[in-house]
Amino acid sequence: MKISVIGLGYLGATHAVAMAKLGHEVIGIDKDVSKVESLLAGKIPFFEPGLAEALAEVLAQGKVQFQTSHSESSASADLHFLCVGTPQAADGSANTSYLDAAIDDLAPHLSPSAVVVGKSTVPVGTARKLRDRLQEKTGFEPKLVWNPEFLREGTALEDSLKPDRIVVGSFKKEDSFPLLVAYEKLLQAGSPLVELDVPTAELVKVAANAFLATKISFINAMAEIAEVAGADVVALSKAIGYDERIGNKFLRSGIGFGGGCLPKDIRGFISRAEELGVGQALSFLKEIDGINNRRRQRVIELAKQELGELSGQKITVLGVSFKPNSDDLRESPSLEIARSLAQAGAVVTVTDPKALPGLSDSQLSKVSDVDQALRGSELVILGTEWDEYRRLDPLKSKSLVKSATIIDGRNVLDVAAWQSAGWKVIALGRTISND
Ligand SMILES: NC(=O)c1ccc[n+]([C@@H]2O[C@H](COP(=O)([O-])OP(=O)(O)OC[C@H]3O[C@@H](n4cnc5c(N)ncnc54)[C@H](O)[C@@H]3O)[C@@H](O)[C@H]2O)c1
């Protein structure tokens, strides 16, 4: 099938490559000239494991092309996927203006038989507004369905090619048929199909993210209790996770969630519920956000307890991306901690296997070599649990630092091994004896 993918960020670039890998003829469109040039040159403008190799493959097969605006070719697509951003507006709501602009750009090129497929994460009710806007601009009744995306950065391509579910919301069931044809291989491979009305499909995505955020903040709230009660949140998490109704995934305490989705999506959800007059239903999500932000603050407190005055103290932060296997810095908890420490006067060095090129922050010293980053440090903070940092040799690392104290912001280090190498280990939600 012929497919256009509008918006080529983390979601759209991955989706374009995945659709081409499924054998479709894909035209990716983004207003950002540098992104399009980069993709045409076979370079993914961000880090995502396996995506560059897959892009090279589909470019060589002539299955994908990239451009900055619609053309005769994209106008003849059977499906147009909307993958533009829906960032947080100043008041916390989701900014859907990029979707409006994408619809306005598409309208003059849309054929009545083509299906517009929304994939961006949106406040419930957005799809209907977009459909009305499209109808007004085209003068015909457009086919629009909603197909929220559940890919996770770090495993995005795999998630796109083996989705754990395919959710499709439609105003008229038959409008979704071409999409199901496009996804035939995925459905045949066993991905479950969930067919819904449009508002439910829109809600599935934000509800899923609200639940995941809640699970993380729940265990981080337990960490707050464990810290004052002399308990151990890691052991607690393991013990409650054995209960299948609870499960152990997304139940690891640490410095909390970040990224381009969870924080903005829960705030957008709160805002939409308030608009709909049911704000109370989601007031708990404000606390979820609050718990998440308090964990970052807790690391600053621990650093102060350890170093006293922060001014002039040399601190190394291991990892600045919001999670491992990604270079995404959006709402990164680790980066926010590094910035707060620098603002308090500390001399902060940050290191990261992939995210440093995207970081322009004059307050932070960027060092790509981890040994170099550790040299002379008076406090080390593990902020993002890249494998490189989990596997660090504590003995060698001790020989590099000035003072062997580490705050394990992700509860991933082997505390006994680090202690026996002479380190003082501080962790969130755990009472660790360093005597
Ligand atoms: N990143 C993820 O892991 C992920 C996962 C699931 C869902 N989502 C959702 O997908 C959407 C996109 O997220 P993202 O992380 O890819 O954002 P992003 O900021 O990385 O990418 C958005 C892209 O859209 C482009 N764009 C904006 N307006 C345009 C227009 N009118 N025409 C063409 N291109 C335009 C931008 O230039 C940018 O490249 C959001 O709603 C997000 O919540 C993201």
Side-chain angles (χ1 to χ4, degrees):
M1 291 174 89
K2 196 165 186 181
I3 281 169
S4 94
V5 176
I6 303 162
L8 298 170
Y10 286 87
L11 163 63
T14 309
H15 191 66
V17 171
M19 289 296 101
K21 272 198 73 97
L22 289 178
H24 301 302
E25 193 186 326
V26 179
I27 301 152
I29 299 164
D30 199 296
K31 281 186 179 303
D32 183 335
V33 181
S34 64
K35 227 167 235 185
V36 168
E37 281 174 354
S38 163
L39 288 162
L40 281 170
K43 288 194 196 118
I44 301 287
F46 50 89
F47 173 70
E48 184 59 44
L51 198 54
E53 294 79 355
L55 172 64
E57 190 186 314
V58 292
L59 274 174
Q61 292 166 347
K63 285 279 176 208
V64 64
Q65 48 178 299
F66 299 103
Q67 49 199 49
T68 53
S69 58
H70 288 279
S71 60
E72 225 172 88
S73 175
S74 67
S76 64
D78 307 293
L79 294 167
H80 299 279
F81 287 96
L82 301 173
C83 297
V84 301
T86 47
Q88 186 182 318
D91 64 358
S93 65
N95 172 1
T96 55
S97 65
Y98 297 95
L99 280 166
D100 292 342
I103 286 288
D104 294 354
D105 293 341
L106 173 63
H109 306 275
L110 185 68
S111 98
S113 63
V115 180
V116 179
V117 185
K119 288 195 82 62
S120 304
T121 304
V122 291
V124 61
T126 303
R128 185 171 289 277
K129 283 191 206 152
L130 295 177
R131 190 191 61 168
D132 292 349
R133 190 177 184 103
L134 207 44
Q135 178 150 5
E136 199 182 297
K137 306 257 166 196
T138 59
F140 59 79
E141 196 182 315
K143 299 176 182 194
L144 186 140
V145 301
W146 214 259
N147 169 223
E149 177 58 54
F150 303 98
L151 67 78
R152 297 158 297 174
E153 288 175 26
T155 52
L157 183 62
E158 202 185 319
D159 292 343
S160 301
L161 292 171
K162 280 188 205 150
D164 52 15
R165 77 282 214 195
I166 294 173
V167 172
V168 181
S170 51
F171 295 106
K172 284 190 191 154
K173 201 162 184 220
E174 61 270 26
D175 290 350
S176 65
F177 293 165
L179 179 63
L180 304 187
V181 173
Y183 286 159
E184 199 175 356
K185 285 187 188 163
L186 306 179
L187 294 166
Q188 276 173 358
S191 290
L193 173 65
V194 187
E195 293 184 276
L196 300 167
D197 56 76
V198 170
T200 310
E202 292 172 312
L203 274 175
V204 168
K205 176 64 191 177
V206 283
N209 277 356
F211 189 84
L212 293 171
T214 301
K215 213 170 168 193
I216 297 174
S217 277
F218 172 82
I219 202 63
N220 281 336
M222 296 305 107
E224 289 189 31
I225 307 287
E227 274 157 20
V228 293
D232 186 321
V233 75
V234 174
L236 172 77
S237 167
K238 196 172 168 195
I240 63 175
Y242 280 118
D243 184 331
E244 281 178 8
R245 294 168 302 173
I246 296 172
N248 58 14
K249 290 193 181 138
F250 260 59
L251 206 61
R252 245 192 16 228
S253 69
I255 58 174
F257 57 82
C261 292
L262 255 52
K264 79 158 172 76
D265 288 350
I266 60 168
R267 292 171 202 147
F269 201 11
I270 294 168
S271 165
R272 184 63 180 136
E274 283 168 356
E275 261 174 31
L276 292 169
V278 284
Q280 227 181 352
L282 294 186
S283 61
F284 75 96
L285 282 180
K286 291 184 183 162
E287 194 50 43
I288 296 305
D289 204 13
I291 294 166
N292 196 49
N293 290 326
R294 282 207 295 276
R295 288 288 79 187
R296 302 171 187 194
Q297 217 29 60
R298 176 72 182 143
V299 176
I300 311 296
E301 280 166 23
L302 288 169
K304 282 186 182 154
Q305 272 172 28
E306 201 43 43
L307 298 173
E309 186 51 46
L310 290 179
S311 186
Q313 307 266 23
K314 188 168 185 292
I315 300 176
T316 301
V317 177
L318 302 175
V320 281
S321 58
F322 88 97
K323 69 167 177 177
N325 294 317
S326 171
D327 62 354
D328 197 342
L329 293 166
R330 292 178 289 184
E331 293 249 11
S332 163
S334 181
L335 181 55
E336 195 184 307
I337 289 167
R339 284 180 175 149
S340 300
L341 291 167
Q343 269 153 22
V347 179
V348 182
T349 298
V350 294
T351 187
D352 191 282
K354 295 290 176 190
L356 294 187
L359 181 61
S360 53
D361 203 315
S362 58
Q363 288 179 301
L364 305 173
S365 154
K366 302 194 285 179
V367 176
S368 52
D369 179 71
V370 64
D371 289 354
Q372 192 64 29
L374 288 171
R375 211 171 290 271
S377 182
E378 285 154 298
L379 175 69
V380 180
I381 297 172
L382 195 161
T384 312
E385 67 278 34
W386 286 90
D387 274 350
E388 284 89 332
Y389 308 143
R390 286 167 176 256
R391 287 197 307 256
L392 270 181
D393 177 353
L395 261 182
K396 184 182 172 206
S397 302
K398 181 163 186 289
S399 71
L400 299 168
V401 297
K402 187 168 170 199
S403 173
T405 302
I406 187 162
I407 299 178
D408 180 0
R410 298 292 184 175
N411 279 322
V412 290
L413 294 180
D414 178 342
V415 174
W418 280 73
Q419 284 182 324
S420 65
W423 284 80
K424 176 175 182 183
V425 181
I426 303 166
L428 297 177
R430 309 184 79 179
T431 314
I432 295 173
S433 165
N434 281 289
D435 300 333

